[in-house]
Amino acid sequence: MPSGRKLKEIFFETAIRASGVASIFIVGLIFFFLFKEGIMLFQTQKLSGFLFGKNWYPISEPGEFGILPLISGTILVTLGAAVLSVPLGIAAAIYIAEVAPPQSKEILKSGVELLAAIPSVVLGFIGIVTVVPWIKNTFHAPTGLTAFAGAVVLAFMAMPTIVSIAEDALYSVPKTYKEGAYALGATQWQTIWRVVLPAASSGIVAAVMLGIGRVVGETMAVMMVTGNSPSMPRGIFYPVRTLTATIAAEMGETVRGSDHYFSLFAIGIVLFVITFAVNMTADLVVHRKRK
Amino acid sequence: MAAPILLTESLNLFYGNFQALKNVNLSVAGRRITSIIGPSGCGKSTLLRVFNRMNDLVEGARVTGRVLLDGEDIYAPGTDLLSLRKKVGMVFQRPNPFPISVFENILFGLRVHQLAGKSKDRLREIVKESLESVLLWEDLKDRLNGLATNLSLEQQQRICIARLFVVRPEVLLMDEPCSALDPLATARIEELMQELKKNYTIVIVTHNMQQAARVSDDTGYMYLGELVEFGATQKIFTTPRDKRTEDYITGRAG
Ligand SMILES: Nc1ncnc2c1ncn2[C@@H]1O[C@H](COP(=O)(O)OP(=O)(O)OP(=O)(O)O)[C@@H](O)[C@H]1O
Ligand SMILES: [Mg+2]
């Protein structure tokens, strides 16, 4: 006869195991549906034509389903956002964790949290009224709705993730490392650069990857400011369209069961693979560093 | 006794309103090992950290009195903290090699003092010398690029000692350097200290009275922030003058 405590233990163990299994099961289901619908496209289309085709004309007759422009758009916007947000985010994290006096530290941290709390559609909206006209005027582009605008807006979305996770990583570097560096006559910057950053490197890589993951998957804001042009991007100051924006913009208008419909699912698979690759890279780097 | 290398005159230290060091007058002779003993919380670490001004990192810490290193007041305005810490190296209680390679750990001091602009061969030579002086070269010569934090605790502590040498310090401060080590490793580090004494002045804080008796030439006994008694180790342990020292040494207090 098990005692009450024992029963309680069994209960919690079962509950925890069940939620673990459930989450894996749900991920499996999502992937299954995505795959089941997406794969249908390849009854009529070639995989290479889908991945490397330069024309996305899903509703002409016959439709063309080349997503290279969309992949390029996503990569362009993501890289742009990374170039802007990674150095700034890490610098901000270093400032908050190592340099800022205690009072401003708290203020800055809540500021970052506030930035994270802004809904993406609002960021997109702010982007339309500020970034877009600024780009048009400063760079004399025919339109401000460009990949660059998307990069700027997405940089703001990636920043809070990068800053807060990198700040955590920096903060958890043992004090004894810093003491050792100071005791050898290192300055504060030398200590940060030569000891604190290497010690926190795996956490910082994770921060960057999660930030980028967020950028790749973002839809709303990027749809609002990048000009939505599904043609091969000619540069950062031209309109583009991302994979996510394509799904969001076109899903409402497709006929269920059409090639167009299946192609959007296939795009979903591509997105899934990209995000998965980003996360795997992060994992690998983090684990290799730990060893 | 030779001219002291380190000298404190009416040294007081406050953490905010709490006085951690009370009128400490201590003189440390060159090329000898001086140990500081006393019960937990009596201010041993605090005193040690006065000598390389690590207490400056503690908010609200305040020092009065004078501390002379080679006759110069290290608390005088305009003192260059970085070169002071170059002259006065410190080994901590928990081995704290940096989470970078063994090679770069050893060269850290050179790099931060911008003395490393040398050829790769020369740098390797320096690393070799410094690891040899802590008897690690044979063990580690094929693992110089491995993370120092993956080594055994004893090896880590030896690295922490070795990385001080590259900047040619005069004084080595050791705050309970063996308390994380097993008895064998402790014995070997003590042996190493005897070797190092030929070239360096060593001040060691220890909880372990046997260790103080074994390794040091001079011993100071601290109690509640005061330096109660200071003198040749032999004398302190056989004929202490102060009742409090005697109680501590015979195990009746502390
Ligand atoms: N940063 C600090 N702020 C305030 N008080 C401190 C600080 N560091 C130490 N103290 C206090 O100063 C006194 C002396 O501390 P110290 O660490 O020098 O003692 P210790 O002799 O090294 O002790 P132990 O043997 O435990 O290492 C203690 O009462 C301690 O609580
Ligand atoms: Mg101590």
Side-chain angles (χ1 to χ4, degrees):
Chain A
M1 182 69 203
S3 67
R5 250 173 77 190
K6 188 96 189 201
L7 273 177
K8 222 172 173 175
E9 193 132 317
I10 292 172
F11 171 77
F12 279 115
E13 210 181 301
T14 318
I16 288 169
R17 181 169 308 151
S19 31
V21 169
S23 61
I24 293 173
F25 183 66
I26 290 169
V27 171
L29 274 186
I30 290 175
F31 190 68
F32 172 74
F33 279 112
L34 200 58
F35 215 76
K36 175 174 147 284
E37 303 283 347
I39 206 93
M40 300 293 279
L41 178 70
F42 302 108
Q43 290 181 327
T44 60
Q45 305 290 322
K46 280 225 269 304
L47 179 62
S48 59
F50 174 69
L51 287 178
F52 304 115
K54 289 189 184 161
N55 297 316
W56 176 256
Y57 302 132
I59 43 179
S60 26
E61 269 311 323
E64 285 192 63
F65 299 96
I67 62 165
L68 194 59
L70 312 177
I71 294 180
S72 316
T74 295
I75 291 176
L76 201 58
V77 172
T78 304
L79 278 186
V83 165
L84 295 173
S85 62
V86 168
L88 259 174
I90 293 177
I94 291 175
Y95 182 73
I96 294 176
E98 297 292 324
V99 186
Q103 309 96 312
S104 41
K105 191 180 227 162
E106 288 314 308
I107 296 173
L108 285 169
K109 277 172 91 164
S110 1
V112 170
E113 268 158 41
L114 210 62
L115 189 57
I118 300 176
S120 77
V121 66
V122 173
L123 262 184
F125 173 67
I126 295 173
I128 287 183
V129 298
T130 58
V131 179
V132 170
W134 173 74
I135 290 175
K136 185 165 164 27
N137 296 331
T138 320
F139 302 100
H140 306 291
T143 167
L145 296 165
T146 56
F148 185 60
V152 172
V153 170
L154 286 187
F156 276 100
M157 302 208 56
M159 283 272 276
T161 308
I162 297 178
V163 174
S164 59
I165 294 176
E167 197 259 334
D168 265 358
L170 292 167
Y171 184 79
S172 51
V173 171
K175 291 235 169 5
T176 57
Y177 290 164
K178 284 189 251 175
E179 281 199 320
Y182 285 127
L184 273 160
T187 63
Q188 185 177 26
W189 284 111
Q190 287 172 327
T191 304
I192 291 173
W193 185 249
R194 293 181 176 278
V195 177
V196 178
L197 279 178
S201 60
S202 58
I204 292 174
V205 170
V208 168
M209 287 300 173
L210 284 170
I212 290 179
R214 180 144 194 232
V215 168
V216 174
E218 170 52 32
T219 311
M220 209 52 224
V222 79
M223 196 154 94
M224 292 167 77
V225 298
T226 53
N228 270 315
S229 150
S231 54
M232 281 305 285
R234 278 171 294 166
I236 192 99
F237 290 111
Y238 289 89
V240 294
R241 195 204 261 173
T242 61
L243 294 164
T244 48
T246 306
I247 301 179
E250 299 181 5
M251 199 43 132
E253 316 159 354
T254 64
V255 182
R256 200 178 165 142
S258 65
D259 272 358
H260 187 196
Y261 174 85
F262 293 135
S263 71
L264 295 183
F265 277 93
I267 291 178
I269 296 174
V270 173
L271 259 177
F272 189 94
V273 169
I274 293 177
T275 322
F276 189 72
V278 170
N279 287 339
M280 279 306 280
T281 322
D283 251 27
L284 280 179
V285 174
V286 170
H287 279 108
R288 204 196 50 198
K289 279 273 157 54
R290 286 244 171 87
K291 265 207 283 178
Chain B
M1 199 146 101
I5 288 233
L6 265 175
L7 191 70
T8 71
E9 291 174 352
S10 335
L11 170 70
N12 295 292
L13 186 142
F14 302 83
Y15 290 121
N17 292 325
F18 174 73
Q19 183 166 9
L21 295 179
K22 296 171 188 159
N23 192 29
V24 172
N25 293 287
L26 170 77
S27 80
V28 173
R31 309 224 165 156
R32 283 161 83 88
I33 299 179
T34 303
S35 64
I36 310 286
I37 59 171
S40 200
C42 67
K44 305 181 295 292
S45 299
T46 303
L47 177 60
L48 207 60
R49 293 160 68 95
V50 160
F51 298 137
N52 62 350
R53 290 189 56 174
M54 283 297 276
N55 290 319
D56 288 25
L57 299 175
V58 178
E59 205 155 324
R62 198 157 48 79
V63 170
T64 67
R66 298 210 304 164
V67 182
L68 305 180
L69 172 66
D70 293 329
E72 284 189 44
D73 187 355
I74 60 171
Y75 279 88
T79 301
D80 180 2
L81 269 189
L82 304 185
S83 54
L84 168 68
R85 289 174 184 161
K86 190 169 153 231
K87 266 201 236 171
V88 184
M90 184 168 229
V91 178
F92 295 81
Q93 180 168 358
R94 280 215 65 83
N96 58 350
F98 306 122
I100 50 182
S101 69
V102 171
F103 195 78
E104 285 301 322
N105 260 280
I106 302 297
L107 292 179
F108 188 87
L110 286 189
R111 299 233 192 264
V112 300
H113 292 285
Q114 265 128 31
L115 302 168
K118 304 194 170 110
S119 72
K120 189 91 188 162
D121 287 345
R122 181 74 191 108
L123 290 179
R124 201 178 146 86
E125 199 53 40
I126 291 173
V127 169
K128 178 168 183 237
E129 267 169 40
S130 126
L131 283 176
E132 267 170 352
S133 55
V134 295
L135 310 176
L136 269 185
W137 176 251
E138 284 306 316
D139 290 347
L140 295 187
K141 65 181 175 201
D142 302 318
R143 287 193 276 162
L144 295 179
N145 291 321
L147 275 182
T149 36
N150 287 346
L151 302 173
S152 76
L153 279 179
E154 183 195 348
Q155 289 175 324
Q156 291 189 20
Q157 196 62 302
R158 281 173 189 264
I159 298 260
C160 292
I161 298 172
R163 73 180 172 195
L164 303 177
F165 299 146
V166 297
V167 294
R168 313 216 164 283
E170 290 175 31
V171 181
L172 304 180
L173 307 174
M174 303 186 159
D175 193 349
E176 304 187 35
C178 301
S179 62
L181 307 182
D182 64 48
L184 255 174
T186 301
R188 287 193 295 258
I189 297 273
E190 286 176 5
E191 214 171 290
L192 173 64
M193 289 173 64
Q194 295 305 327
E195 200 54 41
L196 295 178
K197 169 173 124 170
K198 294 175 189 156
N199 297 309
Y200 303 95
T201 303
I202 298 176
V203 185
I204 176 176
V205 162
T206 174
H207 251 128
N208 178 333
M209 273 184 289
Q210 285 76 30
Q211 183 170 54
R214 276 194 306 265
V215 302
S216 68
D217 304 300
D218 300 311
T219 297
Y221 172 65
M222 287 187 75
Y223 186 68
L224 296 180
E226 281 178 63
L227 182 65
V228 172
E229 192 165 348
F230 182 81
T233 302
Q234 189 71 51
K235 261 188 147 164
I236 297 278
F237 278 93
T238 51
T239 51
R241 271 178 290 119
D242 198 290
K243 179 82 171 61
R244 289 169 293 180
T245 316
E246 189 182 339
D247 286 350
Y248 184 70
I249 286 167
T250 52
R252 263 172 283 172

